Amino acid sequence: MARLTDLPYEILFELLLYSTNEELVTVCRWTYFCLRQPTPRLCYKFVRQRGKWRKARVIASALQYKFLSVGLLDQIERHEAELLRPLKKGKRSKSGRDERLLSDIRLPGRLFALDSTESLPASRKPRPISKKRKRRNGNGGKSAVVGTVASGNQQRFDLVKRLLKMGLAVSGERGNTGLLLSAKAGNLPMVRLLLRHGADAVAGGDNKALLMAIVYGHLDVAKRLVKAGAPVSSLALRYAVQKSHYQIIAWLMKVGAAPDMVTIQLLDKLV
């Protein structure tokens, strides 16, 4: 008699993803372990099958699921030799379908969410503790903290950083979403990361990223966007006056923002 554990892992994953019954995976311990606590290796096998062994499709498939992690991306890079590379732009595969390029994949908006209860992500990893410092700390050379779990903000930052390193692009219209969401949330490390990898500071020509940062009162983000080429306009000054962000108002006027008639009337009301 066939058992549930005899099913391929692709089918087992499908059962979990498309079923709302949590008791489905409690029929045996092995199934519960594989489905409720999937390892990066098992997740890689699943997205590899979903992506039809094509690297770009495998990554695009991994972005759809919540089990996306740096460990999963490590598995994709570690087994890159067994994945088929996409064809050059404009060429077609033997089946007649255009192969997807890494630069055409859009990063999901959930990776740019910022939890206000947590600290901002660190753009650089802490330096490893040297042997001399370990001896000074005592405990037989062992650190007092055995291990720390990265915050959600840090995990999302590390994921975006790794995906950009793998070849995903944030330039053009597809990259505007991440920059807009990061500017709105005041996520300065993420804004720096996206700009460093070619994100457009003007955000398609309408300067939305700078306006978002000003409306929500993120002065540091606004300064970084202006440094990257975002123009300072009277509209930006008007938004700052409407929201009563006095530090941003002073900074905008210092860098040359000229108030229009509507902004002058609003300034008179503030005074």
Side-chain angles (χ1 to χ4, degrees):
M1 182 178 178
R3 297 176 298 177
L4 185 60
T5 54
D6 295 330
L7 293 174
Y9 50 81
E10 294 88 359
I11 298 179
L12 293 175
F13 258 96
E14 291 288 346
L15 292 175
L16 174 66
L17 296 173
Y18 294 108
S19 175
T20 57
N21 185 5
E22 295 184 356
E23 296 181 356
L24 178 67
V25 296
T26 61
V27 292
C28 72
R29 293 182 180 178
W30 184 87
T31 309
Y32 180 84
F33 175 79
C34 291
L35 298 186
R36 303 301 290 182
Q37 300 177 356
T39 62
R41 174 63 176 168
L42 190 61
C43 294
Y44 164 71
K45 289 182 178 181
F46 174 71
V47 296
R48 182 185 64 185
Q49 186 70 20
R50 298 280 292 182
K52 303 184 183 300
W53 296 73
R54 300 279 180 178
K55 182 179 179 181
R57 291 186 180 184
V58 169
I59 296 175
S61 179
L63 292 176
Q64 301 175 12
Y65 301 106
K66 292 183 179 180
F67 57 68
L68 175 67
S69 64
V70 176
L72 173 57
L73 299 180
D74 287 338
Q75 289 289 329
I76 294 176
E77 287 195 329
R78 190 176 304 167
H79 299 87
E80 185 176 5
E82 68 183 17
L83 299 177
L84 300 176
R85 293 182 176 274
L87 300 177
K88 293 183 179 180
K89 202 167 187 178
K91 292 187 177 182
R92 290 180 176 269
S93 60
K94 295 180 180 180
S95 61
R97 297 179 180 178
D98 288 323
E99 293 297 337
R100 199 171 192 177
L101 298 175
L102 288 175
S103 58
D104 296 333
I105 301 175
R106 175 179 295 183
L107 293 173
R110 73 176 189 276
L111 295 181
F112 303 98
L114 186 69
D115 189 349
S116 58
T117 61
E118 300 176 353
S119 59
L120 290 175
S123 57
R124 294 182 179 179
K125 294 184 178 180
R127 294 180 179 178
I129 301 176
S130 62
K131 294 182 178 179
K132 292 183 179 180
R133 290 181 62 186
K134 286 182 179 180
R135 294 195 199 101
R136 292 174 185 174
N137 292 338
N139 299 329
K142 296 181 181 179
S143 177
V145 180
V146 177
T148 56
V149 179
S151 64
N153 293 337
Q154 187 65 50
Q155 290 178 2
R156 287 185 287 270
F157 179 84
D158 293 339
L159 276 173
V160 173
K161 185 177 181 179
R162 187 61 176 274
L163 288 167
L164 294 178
K165 187 178 179 180
M166 293 176 70
L168 275 70
V170 290
S171 58
E173 295 182 0
R174 291 183 175 272
N176 293 341
T177 302
L179 187 62
L180 291 176
L181 293 176
S182 301
K184 179 180 177 180
N187 194 345
L188 182 59
M190 187 71 77
V191 171
R192 288 174 175 169
L193 177 66
L194 295 176
L195 292 174
R196 200 182 309 129
H197 284 82
D200 186 8
V202 185
D206 47 13
N207 210 18
K208 280 185 179 179
L210 178 61
L211 297 179
M212 282 283 190
I214 290 175
V215 167
Y216 289 91
H218 304 304
L219 178 59
D220 293 339
V221 175
K223 288 182 177 180
R224 184 63 184 86
L225 291 169
V226 170
K227 184 178 179 180
V232 177
S233 62
S234 58
L235 181 60
L237 181 59
R238 184 192 305 176
Y239 284 169
V241 173
Q242 288 176 344
K243 295 296 182 179
S244 301
H245 297 316
Y246 298 105
Q247 292 184 351
I248 297 180
I249 294 172
W251 170 73
L252 287 174
M253 298 187 72
K254 184 178 180 180
V255 296
D260 53 15
M261 292 304 298
V262 177
T263 307
I264 292 175
Q265 294 176 0
L266 293 173
L267 285 171
D268 292 339
K269 293 180 181 180
L270 287 178
V271 176

